Amino acid sequence: MRKPRFSRFHFNLSIVVASAAWLFAAAAPAVAQRAPWERMEAAAKLLDVAAPKTDAIRLDLPAVTQDGSAVPLTVTIDHPMTADHYIESLHLFASGNPSPEVAEFSFSPLAGEARLSTRIRLDGTQNVIALARTNRGEWLAGAREVRVTVSGCLTQAGAFDGDDFMRTRVRAPNRLRRGEAAEIRTLINHPMETGLRKDADGQAVPERILTEFRARVAGQPVIHAKFHRAVAANPYLLFHVAPGQAGTLDLEWTEDTGKTATATAEIPAA
Amino acid sequence: MKKFSLSRREALKRMGAVGVGAFLAAGGLPVYGNRSHGGQRVAVIGGGFGGATAAKYLKRLSPGLDVVLVEPQKRYYTCPFTNLYLGGMREFETLGHDYRELSRLGVRIVSQTAVDVDAEGRRLRLADGDSLSWDRLILSPGIDFRWGELEGYGREAADKAPHAWKPGPQSRLLRRQLLEMPDGGTFVLVAPDNPFRCPPGPYERVSMVAHYFKTHKPRSKVLLLDAKDNFSKQGLFLEGWKENYGDMIEWVGRSNDGRVVRVNADKLEVETEFGEIHRANVLNVVPPQKAGFIADRAGVTDESGWVPVQPRTFESKQVPGIYVIGDATQAAPMPKSGFVANTQAKVTARAILADLAGEEPPEPTWTNTCYSVIAPDWGITVAGVYEVHDGELREVPGSGGVSPMGAAADFRKREAAYAEAWYAAIAQDTWGSR
Amino acid sequence: MRLTTVAIAVAALAGALALTLRHAGADPSGEDIVPVSNDRASAIAMTCANCHGTDGRLESTGIPSIAGKPEIVLRSQLLAFQRDEYPGATVMPRLVKGYTEEELAAVARYFAALKPTPEEPSQQP
Ligand SMILES: Cc1cc2nc3c(=O)[nH]c(=O)nc-3n(C[C@H](O)[C@H](O)[C@H](O)COP(=O)(O)OP(=O)(O)OC[C@H]3O[C@@H](n4cnc5c(N)ncnc54)[C@H](O)[C@@H]3O)c2cc1C
């Protein structure tokens, strides 16, 4: 038989490569150099323990992106969300932005899962860092590097449709299976002016951002977010509501001017 | 012509015998004179923009090298200008190119699909069961679709709601659907998130469909549902659409609920992230993409589905000896364009010849120019020059950029004419077509 | 239209002259000039082929064929593009700004040395 053995070799090789990369990412920073959250003042100040747990937070971000103005980010924390042990807060930082704070979230056990997606601004290649704290005071940490390349191919639009200012959208599932958490998607049209942009006449456009977002189900808090200017324009947030929490979902966004916008959705019973 | 190629190759060979390194030959190319590369084989998988150019330039640079091009199609149709075909500005046959000229240059053409790659044994397996050994391998397989990742959009759905993102029967199907559509109908295009083949492609496509509607079905509408908020040459497209088509084209970005999450190809309906249903008369879905399957078989893709490469040479980061070019690679900030695939091929051809000779790869340089035709007299461009800086690819600062906004009609008209000229030139440079 | 052509020609000549003088002046000391190898010039030239045809030769497409054009003309045109002094230019200024003046001069020399048509492989050693 002249038929060579194909592919098995590559399969093994890529596993080796992948796991080596993983080991390096997980272990090397702690040994060889300080972890990204130790190197950043804002994050280090928050951490009141020496060694956060580093194997429970996963950050899903593109390794390379050409559009730093809206980088999709999903944070998944492998941790129970039960009444007596749950993730209470999540802090997001971007190490290379003019101000490192991106957003903070507090969860109640009603969130069902410690997982959310949003879109953030990254001013160049840098680390995105997540720190989370449980209701028992334990800390978890994770970080991931994103390379942001500049390309003339993508022109930043900056065009903002005034008619839709603070228009909200929300989507809840039409039906749910037993034991299934409800996935909620929200979107609000807002420029999230950073205060760093100049208009056509070279004048600085003043900072104007949404600063808060709250979600309640049947009157009980699910998630409360604080946004900084590194949250991308038209803030997008995907989160969950725990199984068995049928009822009206109330959402409220607050601008730094005090102006608010609201939306509601019905979460069906399983 | 035939005679010339032969005598020229002779001339090049003779120059090689002088043996003083790279210097200028009759055609102006440096010949890697002191290294004939005789007996060494470079196999190239894929005869598109990247692969055909690589095969041609390898042979030109080192006539003694054994260059084998593996490509199942006898005639390759380009994606570039399929949009013009859809707009009625171009006959489909004018987009076809064959491999006769490459073969005349001495490239061996194997008209087959490569089904597997054994990196360790330096062999590849062909669909007919034969295998082929190589000293260095270039993959330029283009893209494959991630069928089913967009709910409801699998292979069969494409028979009703074509993608037309690989040319051939799909392009013809879409054209036929446009011809059969009643005046007053709606054409819906679903555009994917980055990265994907040809960043300006969806926007050129709706322009050309609008051109066809304007001239044949003026009451019709064009709706572009987009998974992104920013796109290539955005300002120029929006300006061009307004000037040429008034409000015929509506673009809905992600932040206005433009991201489609479900397709119903039977009903020609799509559903967006926040639950809006849009109905089309003609539905064109550009699905999410990944590197051509052979890249997976060769073990060069990572979890993104694309191929990470060494910036200087485009050798795979994961498997030494295999070089990957074109759409299959992660080469940001270079876009996935035919132009870029062509310049990547040239850089990689030189890097391979240097490697075979045990030398350092030469300093690379790549360029891109993407023409988009908005209307017959309205062309726009984005250009870029790329280099390696601190071990990463980047756009050379101060270079590149897009056509000016608000340019005079004459400027747009010349860029449209240059677009046609560019097509003829790159077809000549890549396949030797004339 | 005709005026533009004249303007280009004048600008081109002026540029070429300036360049010739500059190089003539700098040559003896050997400073100022970063040598650009022919290998590098050919690498850059290959990226031109994409629009100007393999080896800079094109048959009537509307984009000029550049093989065998006088070096001084090519060089001054490239430099005029780079300095935004070429009236009506479209994509060329954006591309040539990716290269140094010396590289452009070497590319001009490279294309000038080629035959405008490929008939005779004349130079046999
Ligand atoms: C609508 C549209 C418009 C476009 N317009 C432009 C434009 O104006 N300008 C521009 O520069 N680019 C344009 N592009 C992009 C351009 O088509 C691609 O970037 C280019 O084709 C990439 O070249 P490639 O060599 O990577 O892949 P391709 O050109 O796709 O070539 C891949 C080849 O590999 C072969 N192949 C695949 N797998 C195997 C295998 N296992 N064995 C053997 N052969 C195999 C295939 O048959 C194919 O021929 C456009 C694309 C689209 C969709």
Side-chain angles (χ1 to χ4, degrees), chain A residues 174-177 244-247 267-270:
Chain A
N174 298 330
R175 69 185 96 78
L176 284 170
R177 284 189 304 272
Q245 298 296 321
I267 299 181

Side-chain angles (χ1 to χ4, degrees), chain B residues 233 236 239 370-371 379-383 401-407 411-412 415, chain C residues 90-91 94:
Chain B
K233 296 181 263 190
L236 289 164
E239 178 192 71
C370 284
Y371 283 93
I380 58 173
T381 49
V382 57
V402 298
S403 314
M405 288 286 289
F411 191 96
R412 301 279 187 247
E415 289 212 300
Chain C
T90 57
V91 77
R94 291 175 256 157

Side-chain angles (χ1 to χ4, degrees), chain C residues 55-69:
Chain C
D55 289 333
R57 293 189 193 105
L58 264 191
E59 289 161 21
S60 66
T61 69
I63 294 177
S65 198
I66 49 180
K69 288 268 165 64

Side-chain angles (χ1 to χ4, degrees), chain A residues 2 4 6-7 10 13 67 69 119 147 150 152-153 155-157 164 169 171 185 187 189 234 236, chain B residues 116-119 125 130 229-230 232 234 254-257 259 271-275 297 318 333 392 395:
Chain A
R2 71 189 159 93
F6 286 96
S7 290
H10 312 298
L13 180 76
D67 184 5
S69 74
R119 307 213 292 156
R147 192 155 78 80
V150 189
C153 206
T155 43
Q156 299 304 322
D164 278 343
R169 289 185 173 88
R171 179 131 200 222
R185 295 162 194 254
L187 179 68
N189 289 131
N234 305 309
Y236 172 86
Chain B
D116 214 340
V117 172
D118 170 16
R125 187 148 54 96
D130 267 352
D229 278 332
N230 298 315
S232 176
Q234 186 162 3
R254 178 175 183 142
S255 290
N256 286 308
D257 198 19
R259 190 162 85 97
E271 181 182 336
T272 61
E273 188 168 19
F274 289 92
R297 304 298 298 173
Q318 294 172 195
E392 304 275 13
E395 203 167 280

Side-chain angles (χ1 to χ4, degrees), chain C residues 68-83:
Chain C
K69 288 268 165 64
E71 180 182 348
I72 194 166
V73 172
L74 291 175
R75 189 169 65 185
S76 50
Q77 283 179 336
L78 288 172
L79 293 179
F81 284 133
Q82 198 181 43
R83 295 171 188 152

Side-chain angles (χ1 to χ4, degrees), chain A residues 9-118:
Chain A
F9 166 71
H10 312 298
F11 184 56
N12 292 340
L13 180 76
S14 50
I15 288 180
V16 173
V17 171
S19 49
W22 183 83
L23 273 177
F24 179 80
V31 193
Q33 56 171 162
R34 291 184 306 149
W37 47 86
E38 294 171 318
R39 281 180 272 144
M40 181 201 284
E41 202 190 323
K45 255 206 309 231
L46 205 63
L47 269 180
D48 51 17
V49 295
K53 216 164 121 64
T54 56
D55 58 358
I57 298 188
R58 199 174 95 201
L59 295 167
D60 287 306
L61 286 144
V64 186
T65 177
Q66 289 183 68
D67 184 5
S69 74
V71 183
L73 163 67
T74 297
V75 185
T76 310
I77 309 176
D78 182 14
H79 195 278
M81 288 296 276
T82 55
D84 64 337
H85 200 192
Y86 62 96
I87 299 292
E88 195 176 68
S89 65
L90 167 67
H91 302 255
L92 299 179
F93 301 95
S95 64
N97 278 357
S99 42
E101 293 82 6
V102 175
E104 292 110 56
F105 301 89
S106 4
F107 300 94
S108 84
L110 291 185
E113 291 183 22
R115 179 152 70 92
L116 54 81
S117 301
T118 185

Side-chain angles (χ1 to χ4, degrees), chain A residues 239-254:
Chain A
F239 59 94
H240 296 82
V241 175
Q245 298 296 321
T248 303
L249 180 72
D250 285 298
L251 309 175
E252 185 184 59
W253 290 261
T254 311

